[in-house]
């Protein structure tokens, strides 16, 4: 139990997250912005990401607790701090990790004015909601909770490790509208999920019952689906595990398909709206699948002794084993190998932006090809929304941003985001185009960098590209 | 010239990231984390009637009856390592007009006694059942012995018996386990 707790704490210490990349969204100077909106405007003619370095993204978060909350130097006992947190958080609080590493990333503007882009990235995604009642039961036991229904349905978690092969097309349809689409093939190495569970555990004092208490498991319907796990369990040694994971990542595991859609629309000369739907798709888990499920009701009152007349040498009645057998029969765990389909967490981005300031690039008043079109300026402000669909419903974030192109070669974007983690999340991104070399770095929760232990979430993206601009 | 200006800005952002640190925390405290749940669980229960203490076939009193149940969780390493204290609570209700002696004998898998306890139950009448509560707190050395046991033998002894004896002896019981994980 302590180890499980330490694992959770290690997660908070390591990286705490969601999947929002609010700084990068709409930042057209970064080619990988196309993965956040395939219908983004594309200023360059060609880009090629430095392999393994075109985008490194890590994001981790815990909605209800920070490392500092638990491990602060303090005169109070650490156990009472943990206890306070357990009671403060609720079952909607969650721990999450999302990591992406772009292995290959490229794009080019074809003769038909379509910007094609594609690549391969590896992704790790994990979320676990806080099973508050189970935490209370583990932390305090049931003595203070007689008659209370511990909700076992609060257990809700998903995790996966997969490789994504993608290819997309982006086209400026007219002066105002740019649209894009991206197809994806998912190769899942590992996946597990436990969702939509139900059931309660209750210890009740009985006044006229057959024993002092009645322990009841009611409406139990708990299941865990796994894919890829059995192939790792059978692997012998770490090298076999690694080669198994790599093999499953490269079409050797379970496959899925998905699509990203996006569009950008200029309204008049200063306003732009944009939006995207990402990972609209599913993975079909058919091989190395092992599912566990438990369903039913069970009540136990202890062990009834019946004092049978036993002659010498006769075995006694196996009361305890009988109870165990009955438990197995009523609510035991069944292992199944049924295939299952897993929807990818759907992400939605939306933004509205107002451009102002000094005009740069295309769109000058005297540009006869762009009489009614949008003008490009060195500054903009706007609002973004982000949502990711999670087992217990969408997680939402809202962002205000200010963008400024400082010089032709250097742009910045500052963001202020409100999300389930905090109301004081300030992010900053920088993009430098030095010759054909493109570098960007974006991070959020900057106010917490003085002491990361106090941050409930951290997100960081950085990458290097070769980019040839149109101009 | 312009290119040079990008350098300070990059330096600022990168240095913010590099100077990010974890302060005012003490991770050694992880060693002090202890879960201390207190768990209430039913133990055994029975109802013995006055008839159980008289053998109608031989017309002889049967003064002692006993039964045994496994309690395999006691000698599991989980209990041996994490159990700090166990409080047994036995609640007898007696409507038989006789006193009883009750013996709980905990045995290891080789049937050697590791721990035992006993109590007596006061007599009652069918019209007026008499409750007798008995509790036993086990900790320290005794607990070490208790967690070597894998079963308990319950022996119920009646002081005397005859075929006209009426009433019931009822037992309900529970254990409070104090764990430290």
């Amino acid at each position: 139990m302590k180890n499980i707790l330490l694992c959770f704490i290690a997660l908070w210490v390591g990286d705490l997250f969601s999947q929002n990349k609010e700084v990068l969204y709409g930042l057209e100077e970064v080619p990988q912005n196309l993965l956040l909106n395939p219908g983004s405007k594309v200023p360059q003619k060609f880009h090629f990401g430095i392999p393994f370095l075109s985008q490194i993204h890590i994001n981790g978060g815990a909605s209800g607790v920070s490392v500092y909350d638990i491990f602060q130097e303090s005169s109070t006992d650490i156990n009472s701090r943990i206890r306070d947190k357990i009671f403060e958080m609720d079952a909607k609080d969650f721990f999450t990790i999302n990591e992406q590493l772009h292995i290959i990333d490229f794009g080019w503007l074809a003769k038909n004015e379509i910007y094609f882009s594609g690549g391969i990235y590896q992704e790790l995604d994990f979320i676990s909601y806080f099973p508050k009642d189970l935490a209370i039961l583990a932390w305090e036991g049931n003595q203070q909770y007689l008659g209370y229904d511990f909700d076992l349905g609060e257990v809700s978690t998903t995790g996966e490790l997969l490789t994504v092969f993608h290819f997309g097309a982006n086209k400026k349809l007219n002066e105002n509208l740019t649209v894009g689409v991206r197809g994806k093939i998912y190769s899942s190495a590992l996946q597990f999920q436990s969702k939509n569970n139900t059931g309660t555990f209750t210890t009740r004092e009985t006044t006229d019952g057959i024993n002092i208490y009645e322990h009841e498991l009611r409406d139990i319907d708990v299941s865990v689906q796994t894919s890829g796990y059995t192939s790792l369990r059978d692997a012998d040694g770490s090298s076999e595990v690694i080669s198994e994971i790599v093999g499953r990542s490269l079409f050797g595991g379970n496959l899925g398909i998905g699509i990203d859609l996006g569009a950008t629309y200029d309204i008049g000369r200063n306003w732009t709206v944009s939006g995207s739907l990402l990972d609209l798709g599913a993975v079909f888990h058919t091989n190395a699948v092992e599912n566990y499920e438990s369903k039913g009701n069970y009540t136990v009152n202890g062990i009834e002794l019946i004092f049978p007349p036993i002659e010498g040498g006769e075995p006694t009645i196996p009361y305890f084993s009988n109870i165990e057998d009955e438990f197995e029969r009523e609510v035991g765990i069944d292992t199944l190998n049924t295939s299952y389909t897993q929807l990818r967490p759907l992400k939605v981005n939306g933004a509205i932006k107002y451009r102002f300031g000094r005009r740069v690039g295309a769109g000058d008043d005297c540009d006869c090809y762009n009489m009614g079109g949008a003008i490009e300026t060195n500054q903009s402000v706007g609002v973004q929304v982000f949502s990711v669909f999670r087992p217990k419903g969408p997680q939402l974030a809202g962002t205000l941003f200010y963008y400024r192109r400082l010089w032709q070669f250097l742009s910045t974007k500052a963001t202020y985001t409100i999300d389930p983690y905090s109301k004081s999340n300030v992010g900053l991104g920088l993009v430098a185009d030095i010759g054909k070399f493109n570098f960007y770095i974006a991070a959020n929760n900057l106010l917490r960098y003085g002491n990361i232990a106090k941050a409930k979430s951290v997100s960081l993206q950085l990458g290097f590209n070769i980019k040839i601009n149109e101009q | 010239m312009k290119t040079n200006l990008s350098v300070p800005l990059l330096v600022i952002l990168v240095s913010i990231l590099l100077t990010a640190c974890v302060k005012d925390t003490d991770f050694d405290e992880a060693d002090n984390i202890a879960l201390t749940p207190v768990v209430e669980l039913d133990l055994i229960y029975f109802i013995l009637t006055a008839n159980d203490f008289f053998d109608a076939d031989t017309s002889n009193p049967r003064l002692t009856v006993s039964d045994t149940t496994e309690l395999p969780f006691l000698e599991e390493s989980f209990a041996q390592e994490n159990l700090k204290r166990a409080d047994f609570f036995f609640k007898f209700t007696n409507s038989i007009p006789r006193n009883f002696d009750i013996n709980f004998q905990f045995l290891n898998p080789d049937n050697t006694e590791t721990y035992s306890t006993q109590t007596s139950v006061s007599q009652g009448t069918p019209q007026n059942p008499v409750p007798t509560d008995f509790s036993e707190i086990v900790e320290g050395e005794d607990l070490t012995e208790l967690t070597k046991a894998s079963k308990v033998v319950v022996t119920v002894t009646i002081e005397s018996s005859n075929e006209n004896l009426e009433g019931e002896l009822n037992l309900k019981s529970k254990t409070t386990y104090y764990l430290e994980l």
Side-chain angles (χ1 to χ4, degrees):
Chain A
M1 184 49 73
K2 197 188 267 186
N3 290 339
I4 294 170
L5 198 76
L6 284 174
C7 279
F8 264 113
I9 289 164
L11 284 180
W12 310 337
V13 177
D15 314 48
L16 316 183
F17 342 14
S18 87
Q19 297 199 2
N20 196 1
K21 297 177 186 170
E22 69 271 25
V23 183
L24 225 48
Y25 182 86
L27 204 52
E28 290 155 14
E29 290 87 337
V30 177
Q32 282 73 30
N33 154 54
L34 277 170
L35 284 156
L36 299 176
N37 181 359
S40 163
K41 292 181 186 177
V42 182
Q44 76 271 10
K45 262 183 177 166
F46 168 85
H47 82 267
F48 184 74
I50 308 294
F52 294 98
L53 293 175
S54 61
Q55 185 171 139
I56 298 165
H57 161 79
I58 51 169
N59 180 241
S63 63
V65 65
S66 71
V67 174
Y68 184 80
D69 290 338
I70 304 300
F71 287 103
Q72 60 186 282
E73 282 172 353
S74 156
S75 54
T76 58
D77 178 35
I78 186 165
N79 290 307
S80 65
R81 292 198 296 268
I82 293 174
R83 187 185 181 281
D84 291 347
K85 269 290 156 191
I86 288 175
F87 283 90
E88 195 183 301
M89 293 199 288
D90 67 36
K92 286 219 164 71
D93 279 310
F94 54 85
F95 307 88
T96 165
I97 300 174
N98 182 242
E99 169 269 341
Q100 277 182 11
L101 178 67
H102 289 227
I103 298 163
I104 298 174
D105 204 277
F106 56 87
W108 76 95
L109 185 68
K111 285 206 175 93
N112 56 7
E113 293 296 307
I114 294 178
Y115 195 85
F116 291 106
S117 60
I120 303 171
Y121 65 87
Q122 167 274 327
E123 179 169 354
L124 171 81
D125 190 39
F126 166 83
I127 182 167
S128 176
Y129 287 88
F130 177 62
K132 180 171 184 164
D133 277 6
L134 274 185
I136 291 173
L137 188 58
W139 195 259
E140 304 245 290
N142 63 348
Q143 189 182 51
Q144 300 300 317
Y145 300 89
L146 299 177
Y148 178 80
D149 295 331
F150 285 98
D151 184 358
L152 308 180
E154 287 174 347
V155 172
S156 185
T157 179
T158 72
E160 65 187 323
L161 177 66
L162 78 174
T163 310
V164 182
F165 301 81
H166 61 91
F167 192 80
N170 171 294
K171 186 169 170 67
K172 188 171 182 179
L173 292 181
N174 58 40
E175 281 307 324
N176 297 334
L177 181 63
T178 306
V179 296
V181 61
R182 178 174 307 283
K184 290 177 165 174
I185 296 173
Y186 308 108
S187 179
S188 168
L190 261 182
Q191 204 268 344
F192 65 88
Q193 59 187 32
S194 181
K195 313 187 284 195
N196 305 324
N197 297 312
T198 64
T200 55
F201 168 71
T202 314
T203 300
R204 212 172 283 119
E205 251 177 313
T206 61
T207 43
D208 48 3
I210 50 178
N211 207 344
I212 294 172
Y213 296 126
E214 183 175 78
H215 307 286
E216 184 186 29
L217 286 167
R218 194 171 61 238
D219 298 331
I220 299 298
D221 186 353
V222 176
S223 64
V224 181
Q225 280 103 36
T226 72
S227 111
Y229 163 64
T230 51
S231 68
L232 295 185
R233 190 181 50 195
D234 302 337
D236 184 21
S238 58
S239 62
E240 251 188 63
V241 168
I242 289 167
S243 74
E244 184 64 35
I245 287 182
V246 170
R248 294 185 65 81
S249 301
L250 299 172
F251 298 112
N254 289 301
L255 300 180
I257 51 168
I259 193 169
D260 295 353
L261 298 169
T264 303
Y265 187 75
D266 291 325
I267 304 170
R269 292 171 86 72
N270 295 92
W271 291 89
T272 299
V273 291
S274 67
S276 66
L277 282 178
L278 306 177
D279 281 328
L280 188 60
V283 180
F284 310 100
H285 295 279
T286 52
N287 80 48
V289 170
E290 196 158 285
N291 306 329
Y292 313 96
E293 77 174 27
S294 166
K295 275 184 186 179
N297 295 285
Y298 186 63
T299 303
V300 66
N301 296 83
I303 301 162
E304 181 179 17
L305 302 184
I306 56 172
F307 295 91
I310 288 177
E311 306 298 325
E314 259 188 84
T316 53
I317 297 176
Y319 296 110
F320 194 86
S321 321
N322 290 349
I323 290 178
E324 284 182 316
D325 292 347
E326 196 179 271
F327 180 88
E328 270 298 313
R329 212 163 43 238
E330 300 299 327
V331 288
I333 294 169
D334 293 328
T335 304
L336 309 164
N337 299 97
T338 329
S339 302
Y340 64 97
T341 300
Q342 166 231 348
L343 294 178
R344 293 278 296 142
L346 177 68
K347 280 144 274 191
V348 180
N349 284 291
I352 180 159
K353 161 164 100 169
Y354 175 76
R355 287 182 305 281
F356 62 99
R358 181 167 53 82
R359 290 174 189 178
V360 294
D364 281 348
D365 283 340
C366 61
D367 183 348
C368 303
Y369 296 107
N370 188 32
M371 290 302 280
I375 50 166
E376 219 177 299
T377 63
N378 71 331
Q379 293 177 67
S380 62
V381 291
V383 181
Q384 291 170 199
V385 290
F386 170 81
S387 175
V388 54
F389 288 82
R390 290 304 204 170
K392 287 192 180 176
Q395 290 171 3
L396 285 164
T399 297
L400 297 175
F401 71 87
Y402 171 66
Y403 162 89
R404 183 163 189 144
R405 187 183 288 187
L406 295 170
W407 295 281
Q408 191 60 29
F409 63 90
L410 188 70
S411 305
T412 62
K413 182 179 173 184
T415 58
Y416 169 74
T417 300
I418 293 178
D419 61 24
Y421 307 113
S422 79
K423 293 182 175 52
S424 58
N425 183 351
V426 172
L428 187 65
L430 273 186
V431 194
D433 280 310
I434 301 166
K436 290 185 175 61
F437 187 72
N438 168 265
F439 166 75
Y440 67 93
I441 182 164
N444 71 13
N445 246 323
L446 293 180
L447 298 181
R448 296 278 180 252
Y449 272 71
N451 188 355
I452 282 185
K454 285 186 181 174
K456 286 178 179 160
S457 89
V458 178
S459 174
L460 174 71
Q461 297 106 39
L462 61 92
F464 302 88
N465 295 288
I466 303 295
K467 203 170 94 172
I468 297 172
N469 285 333
E470 214 157 9
Q471 292 151 11
Chain B
M1 181 59 198
K2 277 184 174 179
T3 312
N4 293 338
L5 290 172
S6 69
V7 175
L9 274 159
L10 279 176
V11 167
I12 289 168
L13 185 57
V14 170
S15 57
I16 287 174
L17 295 175
L18 291 180
T19 55
C21 62
V22 172
K23 288 193 297 204
D24 309 325
T25 48
D26 179 6
F27 292 104
D28 292 340
E29 277 208 74
D31 295 337
N32 300 331
I33 295 174
L35 280 72
T36 51
V38 181
V39 179
E40 294 275 331
L41 287 179
D42 277 327
L43 191 60
I44 54 174
Y45 65 97
F46 62 71
I47 298 173
L48 283 167
T49 60
N51 297 337
D52 292 322
F53 298 96
F54 191 81
D55 189 336
D57 295 341
T58 61
S59 298
N60 283 324
R62 188 191 289 141
L63 297 181
T64 297
V65 299
S66 79
D67 201 355
T68 305
T69 178
E70 329 96 286
L71 297 174
F73 54 88
L74 278 181
E75 61 141 8
E76 276 174 11
S77 57
F78 179 83
Q80 290 172 349
E81 288 161 18
N82 302 306
L83 188 60
K84 299 299 158 199
R85 177 178 149 187
D87 294 2
F88 291 100
F89 177 71
F90 299 94
K91 187 179 180 62
F92 295 92
T93 310
N94 187 10
S95 60
I96 301 172
R98 293 289 186 279
N99 295 317
F100 286 90
D101 284 325
I102 318 286
N103 191 288
F104 300 96
Q105 193 182 20
F106 291 83
L107 306 180
N108 69 13
D110 301 327
N111 292 324
T112 308
E113 180 183 302
T114 67
Y115 184 82
S116 76
T117 184
Q118 46 282 314
T119 187
S120 19
V121 173
S122 313
Q123 62 182 342
T125 64
Q127 296 75 31
N128 188 24
V130 171
T132 303
D133 290 351
F134 169 62
S135 46
E136 170 100 347
I137 295 174
V138 186
E139 53 192 335
E141 279 297 303
D142 286 346
L143 188 71
T144 309
E145 292 305 309
L146 180 75
T147 54
K148 287 176 184 165
S150 63
K151 53 188 152 182
V152 61
V153 181
V154 182
T155 307
V156 180
T157 307
I158 191 168
E159 52 186 358
S160 67
S161 172
N162 63 58
E163 59 189 322
N164 300 320
L165 204 57
E166 286 183 346
E168 284 180 357
L169 173 66
N170 172 238
L171 167 70
K172 298 176 180 181
S173 69
K174 63 155 184 154
T175 316
T176 309
Y177 301 94
Y178 294 81
L179 299 164
E180 191 175 313
L181 314 178

